[in-house]
Amino acid sequence: MLQIDEIFGVTIQGEGKRIGNPSIFIRFGRCNMKCSGFKVGYKTPSGIKKYGCDSFYASDNAFKNMWQNYNDFKEIIKQINKLLTTTYKPDIVITGGEPLLYWEDEEFQKLLKYFIDNNFYLTIETNASLDIQLKHNWQKKILFSMSVKLSNSNESLAKRINKNTLSHIINFADDSYLKFVIDNSFVQKANKEIIDILKDIPPCEVYLMPLGYTSQIIDKNSTAVINMALKYGYKYSDRLHIRVWNNKEEFN
């Protein structure tokens, strides 16, 4: 069973290598991390206050009653087709939560293959911490946007870093990259952690992205992150969707 928090678009991809591209998003529910260190305050449906990432409504099981359950990938395609009102094919972005929790699900694989077979540009946004195997040639065409968590997430090293999976995806998929979320107080430590990851995996593109759930917080962090990218030769990714539409913190 595939649990999906929302399907929406056409809108722009707000971050990473495909930033600015027209896209339809399929946001899966469930995650294997909490990332309380990102300090996005929110309330669960029962009123409990928590801190987590900016996709808490898809990551926290407390919201699972709001997710839609799909037993057949064709039901998802029907929802996608309702959004395909343009004369061009937008990107398809599989996100979460952590979508690779569904990697072994047959319907999940059928969904991915459908998009590749029908010539959609397909991105999977993942923390790349889970053990997965890519076996089929069509999987080479998936863009893996691997948002690997650093220690500022408050997750343990053993849980957040899986160098075997990172190496496997980079070696197998034709296109993949790493993306790290950083705030202005974490720059020096972040670079040491990134270097420790990069030395044990194949070469790939690295993007740095400012931490922030609102445009105001992104503004506070973006200059330091840009300077870090310039100093060490990384690429910078903004968060356009937050800049344009913004968010409100549930509580301080």
Side-chain angles (χ1 to χ4, degrees):
M1 180 176 65
L2 304 179
Q3 296 176 289
I4 293 179
D5 173 67
E6 57 181 341
I7 300 173
F8 64 96
V10 176
T11 185
I12 61 165
Q13 168 60 278
E15 58 192 47
K17 179 180 281 191
R18 300 287 291 177
I19 193 168
N21 278 274
S23 304
I24 291 176
F25 288 77
I26 306 174
R27 186 180 299 281
F28 281 79
R30 294 171 57 203
C31 190
N32 61 324
M33 296 188 191
K34 298 179 180 178
C35 295
S36 61
F38 292 155
K39 299 178 181 178
V40 177
Y42 66 94
K43 293 180 182 178
T44 67
S46 62
I48 298 174
K49 294 181 178 181
K50 293 184 178 181
Y51 288 94
C53 71
D54 57 8
S55 58
F56 56 83
Y57 45 87
S59 301
D60 192 332
N61 282 341
F63 294 88
K64 66 181 180 180
N65 288 337
M66 301 179 182
W67 302 341
Q68 182 71 40
N69 297 327
Y70 292 89
N71 294 311
D72 188 332
F73 85 99
K74 293 178 182 178
E75 298 172 9
I76 301 172
I77 299 303
K78 288 180 182 179
Q79 298 302 314
I80 296 296
N81 286 337
K82 293 178 183 179
L83 302 176
L84 291 175
T85 58
T86 60
T87 57
Y88 57 85
K89 285 187 176 180
D91 287 9
I92 301 295
V93 182
I94 306 291
T95 188
E98 177 44 62
L100 293 191
L101 285 168
Y102 298 90
W103 185 256
E104 298 298 330
D105 189 296
E106 183 178 356
E107 295 303 310
F108 185 75
Q109 289 297 322
K110 288 179 180 179
L111 180 68
L112 302 183
K113 190 173 187 299
Y114 173 88
F115 291 125
I116 295 297
D117 288 347
N118 286 275
N119 298 312
F120 286 92
Y121 199 103
L122 177 65
T123 297
I124 295 181
E125 297 183 336
T126 173
N127 60 39
S129 66
L130 300 171
D131 293 322
I132 68 164
Q133 288 295 315
L134 290 83
K135 304 174 182 177
H136 308 289
N137 283 334
W138 62 265
Q139 293 170 336
K140 293 178 179 290
K141 297 181 181 180
I142 300 171
L143 171 63
F144 286 87
S145 174
M146 297 181 287
S147 185
V148 178
K149 302 302 178 278
L150 300 174
S151 63
N152 61 339
S153 66
N154 278 354
E155 296 289 347
S156 68
L157 178 64
K159 187 174 184 179
R160 58 187 170 79
I161 304 298
N162 187 331
K163 293 180 181 179
N164 288 334
T165 290
L166 294 175
S167 297
H168 176 60
I169 290 175
I170 293 168
N171 282 328
F172 190 94
D174 291 337
D175 209 4
S176 56
Y177 66 95
L178 300 182
K179 184 174 63 181
F180 298 99
V181 176
I182 299 169
D183 63 87
N184 57 14
S185 65
F186 186 62
V187 168
Q188 283 190 323
K189 189 174 181 182
N191 191 55
K192 292 179 181 178
E193 294 184 16
I194 292 171
I195 290 173
D196 184 66
I197 295 169
L198 296 181
K199 68 181 177 62
D200 294 326
I201 64 174
C204 68
E205 289 182 287
V206 175
Y207 285 77
L208 306 183
M209 193 167 68
L211 176 67
Y213 183 52
T214 67
S215 58
Q216 291 78 13
I217 299 173
I218 290 176
D219 285 340
K220 292 178 181 178
N221 291 319
S222 58
T223 300
V225 177
I226 289 171
N227 288 336
M228 179 181 170
L230 294 174
K231 182 176 181 179
Y232 297 108
Y234 303 129
K235 296 185 177 183
Y236 174 79
S237 169
D238 209 83
R239 310 192 75 189
L240 289 183
H241 53 301
I242 295 177
R243 294 256 192 217
V244 174
W245 290 286
N246 209 357
N247 288 301
K248 292 182 179 180
E249 290 187 280
E250 294 293 326
F251 65 93
N252 296 319

